[in-house]
Amino acid sequence: MAINWLLLLGWIGCCCWGIGDWTVEARASQGLHVQLPHGGWLIGRHRTTHSGRHMRAFMGIPFALPPVGELRFRAPIEQPGWQGERLAVQDAPMCMQRDPFRRDTKIDGVEDCLYLNVYTPDPVIGTSLPVMVWFHGGGWQCGSGISSFYGPEFLLEHDVVLVSANFRLGPLGFLSTETLDCPGNNGLKDQLAVLRWVRDNIAAFGANAQSVTVFGESAGGASVTYHMLSEQSRGLLHRAIAQSGTYFNPWAQPAHEGVAAGRAHKLTELMNCSQFGDDWSAKLKCLRGKRAEDIVAKLYDMFVWDFDPMIPFPPVIEPEHTGAFLTLRPRDAPLPHGQKLPLMIGVTAEEGLLKTAALLNLPHLMDEFKTYFDQLLPLVLNYDHHELEAQQQITRHIESFYFKAGHNYNKSNHQNLTDLISDGWFVAGVDEYLKLRSKSLSPTYVYLFDHKGAASFSEIFKGGRNEFYGACHAEELQYLFPIGQQLFVSAVPTRQDLQLRELMLRLWVNFARTGDPNPIPGTSNLPIWRPTPTYPVEYARLGSKLDSDGVEQLPPLLRMEVALLQHRADFWRDLKAHLPASRQQRKHNEL
């Protein structure tokens, strides 16, 4: 057969091949060329959603200078831009980290990690699409916003622009000397830089910079509430979704005075940089000369028992200075600007499986927990900063409420133990935030995710593949992002799973468009999700734990209820209210 070599060469020129040392670059469609306000261009790539809908992906976009060398432990510096074209077709690496929740021993990621991704429908019509900015969870010590875990394949079935980003983690992102040498909160300031980048650049992608919804889960959810508090973030977000986290959760609250500096000093000791006494400038210079991998590896040396305290490097109160993100404790701050913003907020029914899945499946951990309960519970639930007498008083109250029948919890009888961790780590803090929101003039939509799916996040936290303990922390993420394609490769979604995924995507996207998760009246048969008018709150229970097989009529996947886990939330509010008065004043009544 004769070959038309001219046609063949023309075809090859439109492809991207690498043959030996010969690389032929592909032509990019015009819609994949985007010019940013600084004059430089991005060349993105074409991708498809779960159903095959076309979208544009611009990946690995730098939003700040690499935080390396002299910029380590400093606030991010805006990326000044570039000339000409920049290829944006693959994810940047994650920020350097060690993952205690999955009990990893390895170090992942790189220090030069301040990049973001932008996903849009293809084609984009006009410049009015709402923006959804995602901040990932992981305790501010692990995770990545631009990994395939949080890909766009589900959300981009709808007309939104999705922005996901990395931010620095662990000691590289949250080390604080409590002085101006290193005031701290650099990971939160990275997020702030993302929001500023969105304000300045997102219109180039066909999106509306005045319609930005920030959403996040766990530490990402707490981050959302911090941006609703910090004056630095005022005007950069217009709606918010806080999933399983607020700044009132004990692990998310700013470290008490002296704690952050003490941990910074311990790090200098571990890294052989403590010989400079109180000279933080010299000690930081020494730390900047060490390998980032060695610094991150020391995270595990900050834990006292198992992986507690859960977050050794949390946010901090900074000394007053230009660029400070947080200078007042949330309970001491004036009513935050975020009170004026619509909010969606909720928890999962068994958040505490983040901890108890491992306790139930690693016998040595459970034995230690039961044997040293009085000593370990204050550490696990973050009330070890109180005097010993107050700690003992709190522990006795907790025992009498959750363990009336004694410490007889096991795999088949763990609900009270899981409820304890759920409430102490998540529910009580979210409840306090809802109480604060009762003063808001903007709508608040509350949910409880309570679903049994084909796969559970308790597997990730050492819970075993074939056992269902409940709706674990992070469980709802697999219905918003294609996480299951990597984490749960052998799980086949049920019909209910698929229906719940479609429901939640519509709710989240509708909220991002209008501040109301409900569709325009008459355009859908979705159940109505009412904002809570009062406290105790009205909330939507999402999902079902009933198996679809053999059940004639399943309950709707969204149903309105009243008083979110109120009996348990009331216990924690009363417990805080009855702490010793002097300690309550000095420690801000924090658990």
Side-chain angles (χ1 to χ4, degrees):
M1 180 178 66
I3 298 176
N4 188 325
W5 289 102
L6 290 177
L7 288 176
L8 179 60
L9 289 172
W11 175 74
I12 291 175
C14 292
C15 297
C16 183
W17 281 13
I19 305 174
D21 294 328
W22 176 34
T23 301
V24 181
E25 294 186 358
R27 295 197 188 106
S29 301
Q30 191 61 36
L32 297 178
H33 286 73
V34 169
Q35 187 175 27
L36 299 183
H38 61 66
W41 289 81
L42 287 171
I43 301 177
R45 65 182 296 178
H46 172 265
R47 288 178 59 173
T48 57
T49 66
H50 185 69
S51 72
R53 190 184 191 207
H54 299 290
M55 62 177 165
R56 302 184 302 167
F58 301 88
M59 306 160 72
I61 305 170
F63 65 86
L65 293 178
V68 300
E70 283 301 308
L71 298 186
R72 181 187 287 175
F73 306 129
R74 299 190 193 277
I77 297 177
E78 180 183 356
Q79 220 285 343
W82 55 86
Q83 294 182 343
E85 296 179 339
R86 180 186 179 95
L87 206 57
V89 296
Q90 63 181 5
D91 288 324
M94 66 177 64
C95 287
M96 192 170 290
Q97 60 189 265
R98 200 172 184 183
D99 185 347
F101 302 109
R102 300 178 71 171
R103 300 172 184 270
D104 282 349
T105 57
K106 63 182 185 300
I107 306 295
D108 289 318
V110 301
E111 194 173 9
D112 176 8
C113 65
L114 298 185
Y115 298 86
L116 57 81
N117 291 357
V118 178
Y119 304 99
T120 83
D122 188 14
V124 174
I125 301 174
T127 58
S128 60
L129 288 181
V131 186
M132 300 182 73
V133 180
W134 171 251
F135 292 140
H136 66 84
W140 293 305
Q141 53 197 344
C142 59
S144 172
I146 59 178
S147 72
S148 55
F149 273 24
Y150 300 117
E153 286 83 357
F154 294 170
L155 282 165
L156 265 291
E157 296 282 0
H158 303 271
D159 288 334
V160 295
V161 170
L162 174 64
V163 178
S164 54
N166 283 342
F167 49 88
R168 282 172 286 176
L169 303 164
L172 295 178
F174 288 87
L175 183 79
S176 172
T177 62
E178 301 184 46
T179 68
L180 294 179
D181 302 282
C182 180
N185 294 329
N186 287 325
L188 291 171
K189 293 171 185 175
D190 293 343
Q191 296 177 0
L192 178 64
V194 170
L195 296 180
R196 288 172 172 165
W197 186 95
V198 168
R199 175 196 61 194
D200 297 338
N201 295 278
I202 205 64
F205 298 86
N208 183 359
Q210 298 304 311
S211 180
V212 176
T213 298
V214 180
F215 69 131
E217 185 269 343
S218 195
S223 297
V224 170
T225 62
Y226 271 120
H227 288 290
M228 297 172 74
L229 172 69
S230 174
E231 283 299 310
Q232 296 278 3
S233 303
R234 182 187 288 268
L236 297 177
L237 64 159
H238 309 96
R239 286 169 289 281
I241 304 174
Q243 302 171 212
S244 300
T246 77
Y247 50 58
F248 286 139
N249 292 106
W251 45 265
Q253 291 178 24
H256 298 294
E257 183 178 352
V259 171
R263 290 174 183 167
H265 178 68
K266 181 175 180 178
L267 182 65
T268 64
E269 289 182 331
L270 293 168
M271 296 301 299
N272 298 316
C273 290
S274 62
Q275 65 269 33
F276 302 102
D278 295 329
D279 187 346
W280 279 116
S281 178
K283 289 195 280 191
L284 288 167
K285 181 178 180 180
C286 179
L287 286 176
R288 290 187 178 106
K290 302 294 185 178
R291 294 173 67 245
E293 293 88 342
D294 296 334
I295 293 174
V296 172
K298 300 304 180 186
L299 173 70
Y300 280 22
D301 292 287
M302 299 292 173
F303 297 120
V304 178
W305 174 76
D306 192 33
F307 292 108
D308 294 291
M310 182 167 63
I311 301 178
F313 295 98
V316 296
I317 303 303
E318 302 174 49
E320 293 279 357
H321 68 280
T322 301
F325 184 84
L326 187 66
T327 57
L328 290 173
R329 303 191 74 81
R331 290 190 180 95
D332 297 335
L335 209 59
H337 67 88
Q339 289 286 82
K340 300 178 181 178
L341 305 180
L343 173 69
M344 181 191 295
I345 184 171
V347 294
T348 70
E350 282 84 25
E351 296 272 10
L353 287 168
L354 172 64
K355 183 71 177 181
T356 59
L359 289 176
L360 296 170
N361 284 275
L362 301 177
H364 71 282
L365 276 185
M366 182 62 87
D367 289 343
E368 290 177 3
F369 184 74
K370 288 184 176 182
T371 301
Y372 303 104
F373 180 82
D374 287 0
Q375 294 79 27
L376 292 179
L377 194 67
L379 176 68
V380 172
L381 293 185
N382 298 84
Y383 61 91
D384 58 319
H385 57 278
H386 290 289
E387 293 173 350
L388 181 60
E389 182 180 353
Q391 290 183 40
Q392 293 171 341
Q393 179 181 345
I394 294 168
T395 302
R396 297 288 81 77
H397 281 298
I398 288 173
E399 275 193 306
S400 65
F401 185 79
Y402 289 94
F403 304 123
K404 293 181 175 66
H407 294 269
N408 60 344
Y409 32 82
N410 51 50
K411 280 191 178 186
S412 60
N413 178 33
H414 69 89
Q415 193 66 47
N416 281 357
L417 175 62
T418 296
D419 286 348
L420 166 60
I421 305 298
S422 297
D423 300 345
W425 274 3
F426 298 100
V427 174
V430 170
D431 176 75
E432 183 175 353
Y433 197 80
L434 288 171
K435 184 81 169 175
L436 176 69
R437 281 290 294 191
S438 66
K439 305 173 184 177
S440 173
L441 298 177
S442 293
T444 303
Y445 294 88
V446 185
Y447 70 85
L448 175 68
F449 183 91
D450 191 20
H451 183 71
K452 179 182 180 181
S456 172
F457 260 77
S458 60
E459 299 176 27
I460 307 304
F461 307 128
K462 304 300 180 184
R465 180 172 296 179
N466 298 315
E467 295 172 288
F468 178 73
Y469 300 105
C472 181
H473 181 68
E475 200 88 311
E476 82 279 16
L477 293 180
Q478 58 185 305
Y479 301 88
L480 300 173
F481 299 100
I483 291 176
Q485 295 175 6
Q486 290 191 42
L487 294 184
F488 311 122
V489 294
S490 60
V492 179
T494 66
R495 177 174 57 87
Q496 280 199 109
D497 290 345
L498 298 177
Q499 291 173 345
L500 181 60
R501 184 176 76 194
E502 181 60 26
L503 171 63
M504 289 181 59
L505 289 170
R506 288 181 179 274
L507 295 171
W508 263 243
V509 168
N510 285 340
F511 181 84
R513 288 193 185 116
T514 67
D516 182 342
N518 298 290
I520 298 172
T523 63
S524 172
N525 59 356
L526 284 175
I528 299 299
W529 182 355
R530 296 186 297 274
T532 183
T534 58
Y535 181 91
V537 298
E538 286 189 51
Y539 66 96
R541 185 182 293 265
L542 301 177
S544 171
K545 285 180 177 170
L546 295 177
D547 292 323
S548 56
D549 296 337
V551 178
E552 291 185 6
Q553 186 172 1
L554 293 167
L557 293 176
L558 187 159
R559 48 208 185 275
M560 295 301 300
E561 300 179 1
V562 179
L564 179 67
L565 305 175
Q566 201 62 45
H567 176 57
R568 288 151 50 187
D570 288 344
F571 164 78
W572 284 89
R573 189 179 302 105
D574 292 344
L575 182 61
K576 294 175 185 178
H578 290 93
L579 290 176
S582 61
R583 179 60 61 181
Q584 182 173 341
Q585 293 167 1
R586 301 208 310 264
K587 293 299 183 182
H588 302 269
N589 195 17
E590 290 167 1
L591 283 172

